[in-house]
Amino acid sequence: MTRREFLQTGVAGVGVLPAECQTRRPDYSLTIEPYALEVFPRRVIRTVAYNSQIPGPLLRFEEGRMVTIHVTNRTGNSEVVHWHGLFLPSDVDGAMEEGTPAIPPEAKARYTFTPQPAGFRWYHTHTFAGRDLNKGQYSGQHGFLWIEPRENPGRYDAEAFLALHDWRGQLLMSDDGSMNPSYDVSTINGRTLGFGEPLRVKQGQRLLIHLLNSSATDCHWIALAGHQFEVIALDGNPITAPCSVPMLSLAPAERVSAVVLLNNPGVWVLGEVRKHIRAAGMGIVIEYAGWGGAPRWYQPEALLWSYQRFESRNPSAPDAESATPVPLVFKSKFNGHGDLDHWTINGKSFPRTETIEIIQGQRYRLQFRNESIDHHPVHLHRHVFELRRIAGRSTRGVFKDTVLVNSNTQVDVEFTASQAGLTLFHCHQQDHMDAGFMMLFRNV
Amino acid sequence: MHRGGMRLPPRLWMVIGLAAFLCSLPVRAQGNYEIQVYGADTVPPGSTMIELHSNFTALGQRNEIQGVFPTYHQEHETLEITQGINDWFEIGFYVFTSEQAAHGVQWVGDHIRPRVRAPTSWHWPVGVSLSTEIGYQRAVYSLDTWTWEIRPIIDKAIDRWYFAFNPALERTWHGPDVGQGLAFAPAAKVSYDVTKQVSGGIEYYADYGAFAQFDSFHQQQQQFFAVTDLNVSPKWEINFGVGIGVTGSTDHLIVKGILGRHFTWRKSSPVE
């Protein structure tokens, strides 16, 4: 049985929602519908989007205040909306594997929940794509969630939400000997570099950028020529020791919130550090008021990033010894040079993977051992975890919901089981999760 | 107890028949210098593929015909150098040599082969490229000394299977076959990935003669190779095969090998 078969035979169906939710007036409405995205003049990508815009509308919630979102599915496929990074019951989290009902074609659904924790989260589809590189996360179904915190972690004058995405994918043979998605077009907020409005700023401002990598499969490195980033939050979770870095790195589903001190007037490019991705369009012009001309770019010569750069020296979380270890070994299974690899966790592919029972309130140490030649951005639903060890070196104080586990390395994270029911864990690369890289935890 | 004529087990009859077939003489010389079914990919820009094609004719033409050396026990070593120009264009250059007991090591000729491919951005469901090959070979190895070939290339990998088809057309510019016009010389390959590193398959090579009027089957060249490809590294290309010719005009037993190494001349940079 594959993930597709599991979704077809399992929990798909019209959502049954609590009676009070049926009558509750929505705070937001989302319509999932086909959309023609013009990425640059006369270059249109036919995809699926929320409310005919890419990214979807920015949804702003107050932490702890119940909200209702109406969702209408005007496509020919069953859909579901996942509220990535929120602590939600499994029936509204937005993963059919956990028990959230699917939204059949032409049907409507309501999601009612109390959003928490505060910070930069996002919402996106959570469906099977397989070899169709226009479906699932390959499509334009992604949008920003901002859960208003009681106190903002950074002082800023202007705010921008930016989503990185890759389009027009096709499966090509790569150096690893298997088929992998490769893309023709890369965008920021649905536009290629130079097309669309620049981000207009003023000298002396502190610009807070919320950056999301909504790409189905690819990591991205982002720099702003002539400027540094002061990172204040990772995956929406504040870091205790903000620090300046020359570039940001985001694996699929990761978010970075960073403040840029606008002290270098001119017209600049914020874009992908790698030349071929920037040439494919991943960039946006940052224009100071009163300045014009061609945007400038300084080409970095290396890709620089480390989670441990943001670690805390004054950790407050419990010691590792109190956490129950859960070893998880990731391996690939060759399926032919003309096919995608299959993926296993502890030797089994979803839905045959073991469902591990966890106890409410107990702390667990997930030990990710990546024995493959691919990197994996792994995501734990409905929880936040703390990075504890990366490639043999201990770390504290970095809290995330998605972490990149590099090839042939081990990453340990800790979390406290806090959500009843089923919790999905998976690689956030669409091609990997479709090919078995998923498992469930059951909170007993 | 059986009486009368000798009765042999069916399997032994098959062995005798195969031996008789392999010992029969081809009636037309054949140039087996590069025995390869092309895939649609081209060499990436800024890089070079250097290949050595080694082909030994174990059973072939034993007699000199019209001044052309016999192919029997000829060892052909062909150096192929292919330079990637951009992501849809490459140029290949060949140096053909032959070694034989009676003639020593001899230069045979040279070919040049530009090739274009459908860029991946076209998102075609199959790989497609088109090569054209022009070259000279000495008359003691082929009476047709100047030849031209145009070779469409179509390939597709599906799961563990790989398919390639090269319906090539050949034209002689100087030699006895000038009047023949275009000749049809298709090649095809089917292989299966046994593991990530090892695949095995069948390659087919033929020359049907003039496109307007095919030769009789006896005059055609028809070869089948059992091959294996070793995918040990993206830098290396390794292919081995044993082939039999099934018509009188085809060399009857050939052992071939291809050893290729990919060189990248661009400075390796994580931001490229």
Side-chain angles (χ1 to χ4, degrees):
Chain A
M1 180 182 273
T2 64
R3 183 188 175 213
R4 182 212 292 268
E5 292 160 354
F6 174 84
L7 295 177
Q8 287 173 340
T9 60
V11 296
V14 179
V16 178
L17 295 162
E20 64 270 23
C21 300
Q22 302 286 354
T23 55
R24 188 184 163 88
R25 193 175 166 185
D27 298 88
Y28 288 100
S29 294
L30 295 177
T31 301
I32 307 167
E33 56 196 345
Y35 178 63
L37 172 69
E38 189 175 28
V39 289
F40 60 84
R42 295 184 299 284
R43 181 74 181 270
V44 171
I45 291 171
R46 301 195 182 281
T47 184
V48 175
Y50 297 117
N51 294 5
S52 293
Q53 65 181 82
I54 291 172
L58 167 61
L59 308 186
R60 289 180 181 270
F61 302 143
E62 286 177 36
E63 184 182 16
R65 191 183 78 81
M66 184 178 282
V67 294
T68 293
I69 303 110
H70 283 191
V71 180
T72 304
N73 179 11
R74 293 209 178 119
T75 71
N77 301 302
S78 290
E79 275 296 343
V80 71
V81 181
H82 170 48
W83 312 97
H84 187 120
L86 296 186
F87 301 161
L88 299 181
S90 53
D91 59 350
V92 290
D93 182 52
M96 289 177 268
E97 294 83 356
E98 292 174 339
T100 305
I103 312 169
E106 301 302 328
K108 297 181 179 182
R110 297 178 191 214
Y111 293 83
T112 295
F113 53 80
T114 303
Q116 59 177 337
F120 179 28
R121 316 295 165 184
W122 65 302
Y123 61 98
H124 60 87
T125 183
H126 208 284
T127 52
F128 180 87
R131 284 173 162 268
D132 187 343
L133 272 51
N134 295 308
K135 292 176 71 175
Q137 198 55 46
Y138 300 108
S139 76
Q141 293 177 78
H142 55 267
F144 308 111
L145 279 181
W146 177 249
I147 316 302
E148 197 69 47
R150 291 183 180 85
E151 289 182 15
N152 266 318
R155 183 175 60 80
Y156 60 92
D157 306 303
E159 191 177 31
F161 288 83
L162 303 175
L164 317 174
H165 205 73
D166 300 295
W167 305 93
R168 277 182 58 78
Q170 61 181 322
L171 294 173
L172 295 177
M173 176 96 77
S174 59
D175 281 353
D176 68 6
S178 298
M179 304 292 266
N180 284 299
S182 176
Y183 303 94
D184 296 341
V185 177
S186 298
T187 60
I188 294 181
N189 285 1
R191 295 284 186 270
T192 51
L193 178 58
F195 179 53
E197 291 297 304
L199 191 57
R200 295 191 172 88
V201 298
K202 293 176 182 172
Q203 185 176 358
Q205 281 184 326
R206 285 171 60 86
L207 172 66
L208 175 57
I209 295 177
H210 297 293
L211 205 58
L212 157 70
N213 184 358
S214 62
S215 173
T217 61
D218 280 12
C219 296
H220 289 295
W221 281 263
I222 297 294
L224 171 54
H227 299 78
Q228 295 267 314
F229 297 102
E230 184 189 349
V231 176
I232 61 169
L234 297 176
D235 292 352
N237 307 300
I239 56 177
T240 55
C243 66
S244 289
V245 292
M247 67 182 69
L248 310 172
S249 175
L250 297 96
E254 285 191 313
R255 288 89 66 209
V256 175
S257 299
V259 172
V260 177
L261 177 58
L262 297 166
N263 57 0
N264 195 358
V267 182
W268 302 97
V269 170
L270 182 150
E272 236 286 0
V273 174
R274 292 169 299 169
K275 295 176 183 175
H276 65 288
I277 309 285
R278 202 172 59 258
M282 187 166 281
I284 187 170
V285 174
I286 308 289
E287 185 179 288
Y288 279 67
W291 289 77
R296 283 188 288 168
W297 172 255
Y298 299 145
Q299 179 60 54
E301 294 303 321
L303 302 176
L304 305 170
W305 184 255
S306 167
Y307 292 128
Q308 285 149 319
R309 186 82 190 266
F310 311 103
E311 67 188 6
S312 168
R313 291 185 180 81
N314 301 301
S316 56
D319 289 339
E321 289 69 27
S322 62
T324 303
V326 180
L328 300 174
V329 179
F330 312 146
K331 286 185 179 177
S332 66
K333 191 174 158 193
F334 178 68
N335 220 31
H337 293 299
D339 199 1
L340 298 157
D341 282 348
H342 281 196
W343 292 93
T344 62
I345 301 174
N346 291 348
K348 293 179 180 173
S349 292
F350 187 84
R352 295 191 180 88
T353 42
E354 180 188 6
T355 297
I356 294 176
E357 294 196 340
I358 55 177
I359 297 168
Q360 177 75 12
Q362 283 211 1
R363 195 154 177 87
Y364 294 89
R365 187 179 184 110
L366 304 181
Q367 299 167 322
F368 306 136
R369 204 163 81 233
N370 180 3
E371 295 186 359
S372 75
I373 58 173
D374 285 10
H375 307 324
H376 297 291
V378 292
H379 169 49
L380 182 66
H381 281 226
R382 311 198 297 137
H383 293 80
V384 164
F385 50 70
E386 182 187 13
L387 307 189
R388 293 305 310 269
R389 180 174 285 271
I390 300 174
R393 184 170 168 270
S394 294
T395 187
R396 299 299 300 265
V398 178
F399 294 87
K400 294 176 63 56
D401 55 54
T402 305
V403 63
L404 185 67
V405 184
N406 285 323
S407 169
N408 292 308
T409 61
Q410 179 167 329
V411 172
D412 292 2
V413 305
E414 285 186 16
F415 76 104
T416 301
S418 57
Q419 305 297 318
L422 292 170
T423 293
L424 187 64
F425 167 78
H426 62 95
C427 178
H428 217 282
Q429 275 197 226
Q430 179 83 53
D431 55 331
H432 292 179
M433 62 193 284
D434 289 344
F437 201 140
M438 282 186 159
M439 64 170 289
L440 289 161
F441 291 93
R442 185 189 304 277
N443 186 326
V444 295
Chain B
M1 184 181 207
H2 292 284
R3 299 171 67 92
M6 184 174 64
R7 291 176 65 89
L8 294 175
R11 186 175 296 172
L12 189 52
W13 276 117
M14 288 174 61
V15 171
I16 291 171
L18 180 63
F21 168 76
L22 293 177
C23 290
S24 67
L25 296 177
V27 298
R28 195 164 81 177
Q30 183 187 8
N32 294 313
Y33 295 94
E34 187 212 9
I35 304 172
Q36 184 174 21
V37 181
Y38 289 7
D41 276 354
T42 51
V43 173
S47 61
T48 307
M49 174 67 93
I50 297 178
E51 291 168 276
L52 183 66
H53 300 258
S54 303
N55 304 320
F56 178 69
T57 305
L59 289 174
Q61 173 61 261
R62 289 174 181 263
N63 302 317
E64 190 171 307
I65 299 176
Q66 296 178 321
V68 175
F69 294 158
T71 59
Y72 182 75
H73 280 198
Q74 274 188 356
E75 169 68 27
H76 294 168
E77 295 293 336
T78 297
L79 178 66
E80 177 183 1
I81 302 170
T82 307
Q83 177 66 39
I85 307 300
N86 57 35
D87 59 4
W88 52 267
F89 181 42
E90 69 175 25
I91 295 179
F93 184 75
Y94 298 89
V95 179
F96 302 122
T97 67
S98 178
E99 193 277 333
Q100 202 168 19
H103 306 288
V105 177
Q106 298 279 331
W107 170 72
V108 174
D110 294 316
H111 283 197
I112 190 166
R113 179 187 51 76
R115 180 148 76 114
V116 294
R117 63 164 300 179
T120 56
S121 60
W122 291 3
H123 287 231
W124 284 11
V126 294
V128 174
S129 64
L130 184 69
S131 85
T132 185
E133 186 172 328
I134 303 160
Y136 168 81
Q137 44 279 328
R138 293 167 60 198
V140 290
Y141 290 95
S142 170
L143 292 175
D144 295 326
T145 52
W146 282 95
T147 54
W148 169 76
E149 173 195 277
I150 187 159
R151 179 184 293 256
I153 298 153
I154 303 156
D155 75 354
K156 177 77 174 176
I158 303 173
D159 301 335
R160 288 177 181 265
W161 291 95
Y162 174 75
F163 305 92
F165 180 45
N166 299 178
L169 299 174
E170 296 177 345
R171 180 82 166 87
T172 298
W173 281 349
H174 188 274
D177 288 337
V178 166
Q180 179 181 260
L182 282 175
F184 183 51
K189 176 173 184 167
V190 178
S191 65
Y192 181 82
D193 297 325
V194 180
T195 68
K196 193 167 191 171
Q197 286 78 31
V198 180
S199 62
I202 299 291
E203 293 177 358
Y204 166 70
Y205 302 90
D207 186 342
Y208 287 78
F211 199 74
Q213 186 175 7
F214 287 164
D215 294 340
S216 66
F217 184 72
H218 185 69
Q219 290 290 326
Q220 293 175 8
Q221 293 177 13
Q222 301 278 351
Q223 281 178 310
F224 294 89
F225 279 79
V227 297
T228 183
D229 292 281
L230 305 180
N231 308 294
V232 294
S233 160
K235 290 181 178 177
W236 289 94
E237 177 183 349
I238 303 170
N239 169 277
F240 292 106
V242 177
I244 58 168
V246 298
T247 68
S249 293
T250 317
D251 288 331
H252 287 333
L253 184 62
I254 295 178
V255 180
K256 71 155 186 162
I258 303 171
L259 182 62
R261 176 68 160 83
H262 181 251
F263 296 91
T264 299
W265 306 112
R266 283 183 173 172
K267 183 183 168 189
S268 177
S269 165
V271 300
E272 293 294 339

